[in-house]
Amino acid sequence: MLLKELKCPGCGAPLKSKERDIMLKCDHCGRISLFADGKINDVGYSIASPAKEHSGELIYVPFWIVNADLNVHKESISGGKISRFITDQRQMRGTRDFYVCASAIPEEFSREWNMDLTLDQPKLNLISDFKGGKRAVMTMRKEIAGENAEFLFLRYEAEIPGTLQKLDYDFRINSTKVLYLPAYKISDKYVLGVSNE
Ligand SMILES: [Zn+2]
């Protein structure tokens, strides 16, 4: 088998695959590319500005941002219909960005992040490099991110009071891109530290 040389889509310098990180950084020009299916993919990525004066170690955590249309055609709930109505429950419907943590951050943190960020879409200031912190390895493939986004919706529906008996919906992915969000590691805890100024 011939092993193809991996090249940076920006400058053509050779890329080395290391660790478990599927995002490879070019040592020459600094561009980051996605390594998938044995080849280099020139994916767009953004980096969000970290909150200033936060304690802990700054780490930029990769997320897959899955933009999707979610249409619910029919839903039957027993028991909780009234409480769903009166508690002004936020709805995960229509077109939105689904946040799916793509790094091996313990699930007790990433689960909450995915849900909170998807429900309350953050305002972000973007920066051009990983200033002041290191980049967490990305382990999740793009295809898995789409499945996780759909699963996030199902988990949300299941957690609303009342027993879900029937859910008929369409989930259509429009685009998938990479976003690095700043987090701070304090002993063994992780907190997101996104700047909203
Ligand atoms: Zn390069």
Side-chain angles (χ1 to χ4, degrees):
M1 200 178 86
L2 199 72
L3 198 65
K4 254 195 313 190
E5 196 188 11
L6 306 175
K7 278 182 183 158
C8 171
C11 70
L15 290 175
K16 276 173 241 120
S17 170
K18 52 188 169 187
E19 296 178 34
R20 298 164 300 140
D21 199 355
I22 58 172
M23 289 292 266
L24 306 183
K25 189 176 183 186
C26 174
D27 290 334
H28 186 242
C29 72
R31 184 138 151 188
I32 297 172
S33 316
L34 173 71
F35 179 64
D37 305 320
K39 58 182 194 290
I40 292 295
N41 298 264
D42 194 8
V43 288
Y45 63 92
S46 314
I47 309 165
S49 178
K52 286 181 197 117
E53 293 170 27
H54 204 295
S55 60
E57 181 195 356
L58 174 59
I59 301 165
Y60 291 90
V61 178
F63 283 76
W64 279 112
I65 307 299
V66 180
N67 186 274
D69 293 330
L70 186 59
N71 293 304
V72 175
H73 306 298
K74 203 182 271 180
E75 188 174 24
S76 332
I77 304 115
S78 74
K81 193 137 198 159
I82 293 161
S83 60
R84 273 195 185 204
F85 196 68
I86 60 172
T87 54
D88 193 25
Q89 182 83 36
R90 290 171 297 179
Q91 297 283 306
M92 205 181 276
R93 304 282 160 88
T95 304
R96 70 171 57 232
D97 287 338
F98 288 81
Y99 283 71
V100 179
C101 184
S103 192
I105 299 288
E107 215 178 87
E108 57 177 306
F109 306 107
S110 59
R111 248 175 100 92
E112 295 301 310
W113 292 348
N114 292 349
M115 190 61 84
D116 292 349
L117 293 163
T118 300
L119 285 169
D120 290 316
Q121 314 249 302
K123 281 208 183 80
L124 303 168
N125 295 319
L126 300 181
I127 50 176
S128 58
D129 58 9
F130 299 97
K131 206 167 67 180
K134 65 177 187 185
R135 186 168 58 92
V137 298
M138 180 151 144
T139 51
M140 185 186 290
R141 290 164 49 230
K142 188 175 176 173
E143 294 72 26
I144 306 295
E147 290 169 15
N148 273 273
E150 188 171 348
F151 185 67
L152 194 65
F153 160 68
L154 292 174
R155 177 157 67 88
Y156 182 68
E157 287 293 317
E159 281 174 1
I160 298 174
T163 306
L164 190 61
Q165 292 180 320
K166 192 173 183 220
L167 184 64
D168 179 12
Y169 69 96
D170 278 340
F171 183 81
R172 209 186 67 219
I173 296 173
N174 301 315
S175 65
T176 308
K177 59 188 182 184
V178 177
L179 171 69
Y180 283 90
L181 289 182
Y184 289 87
K185 188 172 185 236
I186 306 159
S187 65
D188 56 355
K189 286 193 168 60
Y190 292 85
V191 279
L192 283 179
V194 177
S195 165
N196 44 24
E197 294 164 26

